[in-house]
């Protein structure tokens, strides 16, 4: 787990919700962190954040206010771990010119060990028990932090985005699947074994659609970009007159319909696409109600590519959440807000976490 940060946080989005603010319970400038030490804050050095995806590696120089000063990108070089390491080195060397860099943060999809040194498993890359932090620190000769990409994004939203001022935050990312992370009392909560946040694989429909994880009926099979595209393709193949705009957008080829195309048509006013997004929103709200029953957060922040649908997605989710919430009418309910930092949240959070971790005093 990573430690909290003190007091009020400034950043690119300065709209903390005053009704969610809690008085600080830790001493300013000092937090209890991992590794048996204290995290001492106040350093304003620059850090490089790197977000590793299945198709691209995005990197940026980030200051202590969460602002990106310089950016660079590369295509992800296949699945070879050494090739990915070399791309990271190239990006750090490129971005480090002209900047005094104090640390490097790496965010990647996958499971990390609790010590933050080893990638236990990554779905996009051939990382299996890979000692990535050690390898990169040897190559870069700088402190390196390794974290899950969803954890990094959640930290960024808590520090600088839509989650400012909320001390129990759950972040959900809607893309190909569903990712998740928690910032609880100012810490990235990773669970006992470091693999918390796999919310997309809660079984929400027993015996339902087969999931890539091997189970059936996982939440991400009903409330993700992939789910939206699948349902739209089924509608188009049924020859329903409702699907005319969908088919026209792909030249009459249903197999080309994706969640992104459905979202674009919905924003343009296509009734069928709006109905499809509303259905996904309802599944989203149901899953959030389940998480609220288990975790009782103060705020859900919803990010990822599917969120470009905005209120077309979030309003049905809010209604379904209120309708399915355990104890509804007799308990406070968490807020549901769209993420504020967009696709850069991962690299901003990875950079900021590396800046914090580099201050550990053993």
């Amino acid at each position: 787990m990573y430690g909290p940060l003190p007091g009020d946080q400034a950043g690119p989005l300065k709209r903390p919700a005053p009704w969610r603010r809690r008085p600080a319970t830790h001493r300013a400038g000092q937090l209890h962190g991992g590794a048996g030490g204290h995290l001492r804050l106040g350093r304003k050095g620059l850090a490089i954040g790197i977000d590793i995806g299945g198709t691209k590696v995005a990197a940026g120089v980030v200051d202590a206010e969460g602002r990106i000063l310089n950016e660079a990108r590369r295509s992800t070089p296949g699945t070879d771990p050494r090739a990915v390491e070399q791309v990271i080195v190239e990006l750090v060397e490129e971005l480090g010119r002209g900047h005094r860099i104090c640390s490097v943060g790496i965010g990647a999809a996958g499971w990390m060990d609790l010590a933050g040194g080893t990638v236990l498993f990554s779905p996009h890359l051939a990382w299996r028990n890979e000692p990535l932090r050690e390898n990169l620190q040897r190559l870069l000769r700088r402190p390196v932090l390794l974290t899950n990409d969803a954890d990094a994004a959640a930290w960024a939203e808590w520090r600088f985005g839509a989650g400012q001022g909320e001390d129990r935050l759950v972040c959900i990312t809607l893309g190909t699947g569903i990712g998740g992370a928690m910032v609880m009392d100012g810490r990235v909560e990773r669970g006992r074994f470091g693999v918390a946040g796999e919310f997309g694989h809660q079984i929400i429909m027993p015996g339902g659609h087969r999931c890539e994880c091997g189970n059936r009926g996982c939440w991400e099979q009903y409330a993700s970009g992939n789910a939206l595209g699948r349902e739209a393709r089924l509608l188009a193949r049924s020859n329903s007159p409702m699907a005319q705009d969908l088919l026209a957008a792909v030249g009459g080829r249903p197999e080309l319909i994706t969640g992104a195309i459905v979202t674009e048509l919905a924003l343009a006013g296509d009734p069928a696409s709006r109905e499809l997004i509303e259905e996904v929103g309802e599944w989203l709200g149901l899953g959030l109600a389940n998480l609220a029953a288990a975790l009782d957060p103060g705020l859900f922040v919803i990010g990822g590519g599917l969120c470009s649908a905005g209120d077309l997605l979030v309003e049905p989710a809010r209604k379904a959440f209120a309708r399915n919430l355990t104890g509804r009418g007799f308990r406070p309910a968490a807020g549901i807000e769209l993420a504020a930092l967009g696709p850069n949240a991962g690299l901003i959070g990875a950079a900021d976490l590396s800046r914090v971790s580099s201050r550990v005093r053993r």
Side-chain angles (χ1 to χ4, degrees), residues 189-332:
E189 176 55 62
R190 301 180 59 213
R192 173 63 181 83
F193 302 106
V195 296
E198 293 295 328
F199 303 137
H201 297 291
Q202 61 171 305
I203 295 176
I204 205 165
M205 177 62 74
H209 294 296
R210 176 73 71 181
C211 183
E212 287 81 354
C213 76
N215 288 330
R216 287 186 179 273
C218 291
W219 189 28
E220 70 175 40
Q221 293 301 312
Y222 298 86
S224 65
N226 267 8
L228 178 62
R230 181 196 66 230
E231 293 303 303
R233 290 190 293 273
L234 287 172
L235 179 64
R237 289 179 178 129
S238 73
N239 294 317
S240 168
M242 291 180 61
Q244 289 179 358
D245 287 349
L246 280 167
L247 284 167
V250 292
R253 298 175 62 188
E255 69 274 12
L256 299 181
I257 296 173
T258 63
I261 289 172
V262 179
T263 301
E264 183 179 344
L265 288 172
L267 291 169
D270 174 44
S273 296
R274 290 191 168 209
E275 184 176 315
L276 287 164
I277 287 180
E278 181 177 348
E279 290 175 0
V280 168
E282 290 173 353
W283 283 110
L284 173 61
L286 176 58
L288 294 179
N290 288 346
L291 291 178
L295 301 173
D296 191 28
L299 179 67
F300 291 102
V301 171
I302 313 298
L306 190 52
C307 285
S308 58
D311 284 343
L312 294 179
L313 175 76
V314 173
E315 283 305 314
R318 288 183 178 128
K319 291 176 182 177
F321 175 75
R323 191 168 58 245
N324 291 284
L325 182 63
T326 300
R328 53 193 173 276
F330 297 95
R331 56 168 288 176

